[in-house]
Amino acid sequence: MIPETMKAVVAHAAGDYRFENVPVPRPKEGEILIKVEACGVCAGDVKAEHGASRFWGGDGTPPYIKAPVIPGHEFLGFIVEMGPNVKGDFTIGDRVISEQIVPCWECRFCKTGRHWMCEKHDVYGFQNNVNGGMAEYMVFPKEALVYKVPREIPMEKAILIEPFACSKHAVDRGNIGNEDVVVLSGAGTLGLGMVGAIALKNPKTLVVLDMKDDRLELAKKFGADIVLNPSKVDVIKKIKDLTDGYGCDVYIEATGHPSSVQQGLEAIRKMGTFVEFSVFGELTTVDWSIISDTKELDLFGAHLSPFCYESVIEWIANGKLPTEGVVTHKLPLEDYKKAFELAGKGEGSLKVVLVP
């Protein structure tokens, strides 16, 4: 029996997130209703709750969030109801996940095979026509990209499909070869997913940077060759020494901190590849002449996780992507404030998961 109301976290404004009882959505034509199994708290969720202009507008940026909205784009669950004419081979009881973006399929990008850059750009948990997974139930619209998740994958591993799919896309953007020295800055959840994905590329050397030694230890277990803490060593000098003074071939920025961007521009060799993944909570200023006149860098952004879900589901299931130790906290939905605090501080915590 599907109830009339459900528990949910609802974002009303920056800093105004509430635990409420709201109506359970019901699926219309082509739509799927799931009972949420779990929902991860992303760094982007924390920055949104703190009022980052990237989400709520300001500093010349228009607002992206359409409130009131149920947050959460890292989720999975079980199908409990379907509207008529659902596309795909789905049945009641299937364990499923949806890509975090719900494409319009009508804009220039969607029509040319680039759905992750959809101009309308509805991402679960940020617009109230695509409410997210911090609730007991949620709907996948008819436009959604939906995948089955094997039941034998433990929740603590399956909840990493969305962030690790983003990790894979960022790594793919780096065009890493097996003779490259790769530096990854940031060993949070997404960074650790990148460690596993980079290791599958078999680079010459993988160096991982982070300010937290416990995360560096996990990065080492996941496949890093060298781990460095920028608060304890001169990482630019170490990278230059490692590469005969040239600098790394590929630098992937996954911290969302301005200092990591400047660090990368100094650590990378001429004509190297710089991949920027993060969402920043503040404007970032660097000397752009390094990118152009000094080093002639290839600069790539990485957004979401196109064409990555099926591979990541398979690799998490068979162990090619390590996951052990990434989920550190599981909390009930009503403890969302504590979950956001834990995820934001990152002290002794990595992936924090809400369980309805």
Side-chain angles (χ1 to χ4, degrees), residues 236-259:
I236 296 170
K237 182 179 185 303
K238 289 280 189 181
I239 293 165
K240 292 289 184 72
D241 289 346
L242 182 68
T243 57
D244 297 322
Y246 287 96
C248 61
D249 301 288
V250 180
Y251 184 93
I252 302 178
E253 201 294 302
T255 70
H257 196 281
S259 63

Side-chain angles (χ1 to χ4, degrees), residues 150-229:
R151 284 176 174 262
E152 57 267 24
I153 304 178
M155 181 276 284
E156 292 81 1
K157 295 177 181 287
I159 200 63
L160 298 175
I161 293 168
E162 191 277 343
F164 278 21
C166 292
S167 300
K168 179 186 183 303
H169 179 55
V171 169
D172 288 345
R173 294 283 280 166
N175 298 309
I176 295 167
N178 58 15
E179 296 180 354
D180 286 336
V181 174
V182 180
V183 174
L184 167 65
S185 180
T189 299
L190 276 296
L192 289 166
M194 292 178 200
V195 173
I198 293 168
L200 290 174
K201 302 281 188 181
N202 193 32
K204 178 181 179 181
T205 307
L206 170 55
V207 181
V208 177
L209 316 176
D210 201 276
M211 303 288 279
K212 295 182 170 62
D213 289 333
D214 56 340
R215 296 185 178 190
L216 291 176
E217 285 301 312
L218 206 51
K220 191 81 171 177
K221 292 178 182 177
F222 281 20
D225 299 301
I226 299 170
V227 295
L228 300 172
N229 186 327

Side-chain angles (χ1 to χ4, degrees), residues 18-84:
R18 310 172 197 169
F19 185 65
E20 300 179 351
N21 276 314
V22 300
V24 173
R26 302 307 286 263
K28 300 185 285 291
E29 183 167 0
E31 295 184 341
I32 292 172
L33 177 69
I34 70 162
K35 191 175 192 311
V36 177
E37 180 181 1
C39 184
V41 180
C42 174
D45 294 321
V46 176
K47 290 174 182 177
E49 195 274 337
H50 287 174
S53 59
R54 165 69 178 82
F55 299 103
W56 294 100
D59 296 328
T61 304
Y64 178 62
I65 293 178
K66 297 184 179 74
V69 61
I70 298 171
H73 55 275
E74 300 180 4
F75 51 76
L76 73 157
F78 299 92
I79 298 177
V80 292
E81 188 177 10
M82 296 191 293

